[in-house]
Amino acid sequence: MRRLLVISIVAVLLPLCTMSCKGDGYADEKTVRLEFSADTVCFDTVFTTVGSVTQQVKVYNRSSSDIELSSVTLKHGRQSRFRLNVDGDTSMVARYVELQAGDSLFIFVQANINPNDEAEPFVCTDSVMFSNGQCLPLAAWGRNAVYHRIPAGDDSSWFCRIDCASYRHDRPHVFLDPAAVLDGNTLTLGPGDELHFADGAMLIIDSNATLIAQGSAGQPVLFTSLRHDPWYRNMPGQWQTVWFYNYSLGNVIDHAVVENGVGGLRCYPGSHLTVSNTVVRNCSDAGIIGQDATINGDNLLVYDCFSSVVLIGGGDYSFGSSTFADYWNYRDHSRDTASVIISNYFLLSPTEAYANHMRATFSNSIIYGNWTRGEAAVTTMDGFDMDARFVHSIVRGGTWDEDPMFTDPSADDYTLQEGSPAEGIGYTFVNK
C-alpha cells in the first residue's frame, strides 16, 4: 500500500512539473522586438551551382524578458535559394528557439543559385521569417558561368583541356581545377573577359601554345579568385598562377588585372611574355616570376605581393614606366625579403644549381616599399654574365633613394602626391 502511494504521488507531480517548466518565464514573443547585426544579409557574386561562402548575422534580444520563438524559417521554404543554420539547427524550420533577455543567437546563411539563361548578373532574394512577425531580408547576386573541371572519374590527367575554338566570351569562366592551353593552340581573350579560379586551380600555357589577352582601359581582362565576399576580396593565395610553360612563345597580356593568387604571372625557361598596362596584386608569393625566360613589361603596377618581381636562373628582362610597391603585411606576416630579386641562378638542391646569363633592366620606374634593407637584391654566380640596371628609377636602398610620396598605400592608392620626386615616372594608372 505504501509503495502504491509513492508511485501515485510521483505520477501526479511529473505532469504538473512538466507543465509548469514549459511555459514559465517567457514573455509573449510578439511583444519583443529583435535587433539584427545587419539590415540585410548580402552576398557578392555567387556563381550558379558553386554555392556561396557562409555569412553570419547575430540576433539580439535587448529586452528584459526571455522569449521562445515558435519558429524561424525562410519565406520561400524549400523553394528558397538560401539555407539556414539557426544556432546549430539546420532544419527547414527551427522551432522553439529560446532567446533569453539581453542574450543573442547566431544565424548562418548560405546561397545556392541554379543556372538560368541570364547573361548579366541577377539578384535572388528571400527573407528569414521570425514567428514574432519580424523578417530579415536576404539578397545574393547570381551569375551564370562556363565551368572548367576535370571530368569525374578521369584519372589520366591532373588538368582539364581548354577548347580555344569554342571559348565563350559572353560569360565569365570558372576554373575549378587546373586548366591548360595545349601545344599548338592559342587562347585569345578580349575586353571584359573574366577568369575566376578556385583553390588549387591555375591557367597553364603549354609549350608552343600562346595566350593573347587584350583588354582595354575600361574593360581589362580579369584573372582572379572565385570568392569575392568582403573577407576574401583582397586575400592572397586563393588560386595558383598563370603559368607559361617552357618555350611558350608569343604571349601578350595588355590591359589586365591579375589578383589574389599564389603567384601572378610565372614564366618558365624559354617562354616569352609581353605584358603592359596591367595590375598584379595580392599574391602570396611573387607578382611576376621569370625563370630563364624573356619578359618585356611596360606600364605595370605590382603591389601587395610577398615580392613584386623575382627573376632567377638567367634570362632577358626589361621593365619600363612601372611601379613595384611592396608594403606587404598581410595578417601581421611581414616580408623578410626584397621586392625585386634578380639572380642568374637558383638552387635545385643544396648541392646543385641552375644558372645562365642574365640581363635585366628597370627604367623610369619606382621600386619602393617597407623593407628597410633595400627593395632590390642582386646575386650572381661566377661563370655566368649578370647585367642588372636601374635607369632613372627610384629604388629604396639604391643610388636614387627617395620616398616617392604615394598618396595612400594603405588604401591601395599609388598615385603620386604633388611635389613627388617620382613625378613623370612609374605606372600611369590607366586601369585605376
Side-chain angles (χ1 to χ4, degrees), residues 12-245:
V12 171
L13 288 179
L14 276 175
L16 290 175
C17 180
T18 304
M19 291 172 60
S20 173
C21 294
K22 185 176 180 181
D24 276 358
Y26 292 129
D28 182 350
E29 60 181 312
K30 296 187 182 301
T31 65
V32 174
R33 183 160 185 82
L34 303 172
E35 295 181 21
F36 309 114
S37 59
D39 294 332
T40 304
V41 179
C42 292
F43 294 84
D44 286 347
T45 302
V46 178
F47 288 107
T48 56
T49 76
V50 173
S52 72
V53 297
T54 300
Q55 299 245 35
Q56 69 179 35
V57 63
K58 210 167 185 181
V59 181
Y60 301 93
N61 175 11
R62 301 196 189 279
S63 75
S64 57
S65 303
D66 298 345
I67 61 169
E68 183 181 67
L69 297 166
S70 57
S71 67
V72 180
T73 188
L74 289 162
K75 180 180 180 180
H76 294 154
R78 295 189 180 279
Q79 303 304 312
S80 177
R81 302 273 46 95
F82 299 88
R83 290 295 177 264
L84 299 181
N85 178 327
V86 182
D87 226 20
D89 190 336
T90 58
S91 57
M92 285 302 302
V93 182
R95 299 193 181 278
Y96 310 118
V97 179
E98 297 180 8
L99 192 50
Q100 295 180 345
D103 204 354
S104 62
L105 63 86
F106 281 104
I107 294 180
F108 300 92
V109 188
Q110 282 186 319
N112 292 279
I113 300 176
N114 289 335
N116 57 31
D117 294 327
E118 296 285 342
E120 298 298 321
F122 55 92
V123 66
C124 292
T125 60
D126 203 343
S127 296
V128 183
M129 307 300 294
F130 298 86
S131 53
N132 72 335
Q134 289 182 254
C135 66
L136 175 65
L138 308 175
W141 287 95
R143 293 189 76 183
N144 292 298
V146 178
Y147 296 92
H148 300 264
R149 73 180 317 158
I150 299 170
D154 182 1
D155 298 325
S156 62
S157 178
W158 59 276
F159 58 84
C160 55
R161 294 160 177 78
I162 297 176
D163 184 349
C164 299
S166 63
Y167 192 93
R168 293 182 62 173
H169 300 275
D170 60 335
R171 291 187 178 182
H173 285 244
V174 172
F175 296 83
L176 302 172
D177 293 309
V181 178
L182 295 182
D183 183 355
N185 291 282
T186 297
L187 176 62
T188 301
L189 305 173
D193 275 345
E194 297 181 24
L195 292 77
H196 298 257
F197 297 87
D199 182 29
M202 70 178 83
L203 177 63
I204 305 160
I205 311 301
D206 196 11
S207 300
N208 299 311
T210 304
L211 171 67
I212 305 294
Q214 187 75 56
S216 66
Q219 292 185 296
V221 177
L222 181 62
F223 301 87
T224 189
S225 50
L226 182 60
R227 301 296 190 191
H228 285 272
D229 300 80
W231 176 257
Y232 291 88
R233 190 165 295 145
N234 298 315
M235 180 186 289
Q238 294 184 60
W239 58 286
Q240 289 298 308
T241 188
V242 180
W243 182 11
F244 300 94
Y245 200 61

Side-chain angles (χ1 to χ4, degrees), residues 185-323:
N185 291 282
T186 297
L187 176 62
T188 301
L189 305 173
D193 275 345
E194 297 181 24
L195 292 77
H196 298 257
F197 297 87
D199 182 29
M202 70 178 83
L203 177 63
I204 305 160
I205 311 301
D206 196 11
S207 300
N208 299 311
T210 304
L211 171 67
I212 305 294
Q214 187 75 56
S216 66
Q219 292 185 296
V221 177
L222 181 62
F223 301 87
T224 189
S225 50
L226 182 60
R227 301 296 190 191
H228 285 272
D229 300 80
W231 176 257
Y232 291 88
R233 190 165 295 145
N234 298 315
M235 180 186 289
Q238 294 184 60
W239 58 286
Q240 289 298 308
T241 188
V242 180
W243 182 11
F244 300 94
Y245 200 61
N246 298 9
Y247 300 100
S248 169
L249 305 176
N251 299 292
V252 175
I253 297 177
D254 181 51
H255 288 98
V257 174
V258 184
E259 62 184 10
N260 303 347
V262 173
L265 306 173
R266 179 184 292 269
C267 299
Y268 263 30
S271 63
H272 289 213
L273 170 64
T274 298
V275 55
S276 55
N277 304 309
T278 290
V279 175
V280 182
R281 60 193 177 201
N282 303 325
C283 295
S284 58
D285 193 354
I288 298 174
I289 303 170
Q291 293 180 240
D292 198 12
T294 298
I295 302 176
N296 297 307
D298 181 67
N299 199 36
L300 308 179
L301 172 61
V302 184
Y303 71 91
D304 280 359
C305 302
F306 194 77
S307 288
S308 293
V309 178
V310 174
L311 309 174
I312 54 177
D316 193 345
Y317 310 94
S318 66
F319 296 93
S321 302
S322 297
T323 297

Side-chain angles (χ1 to χ4, degrees), residues 317-339:
Y317 310 94
S318 66
F319 296 93
S321 302
S322 297
T323 297
F324 306 99
D326 224 329
Y327 294 84
W328 169 278
N329 193 24
Y330 183 69
R331 294 187 183 173
D332 298 325
H333 295 291
S334 57
R335 291 187 298 134
D336 58 1
T337 188
S339 178

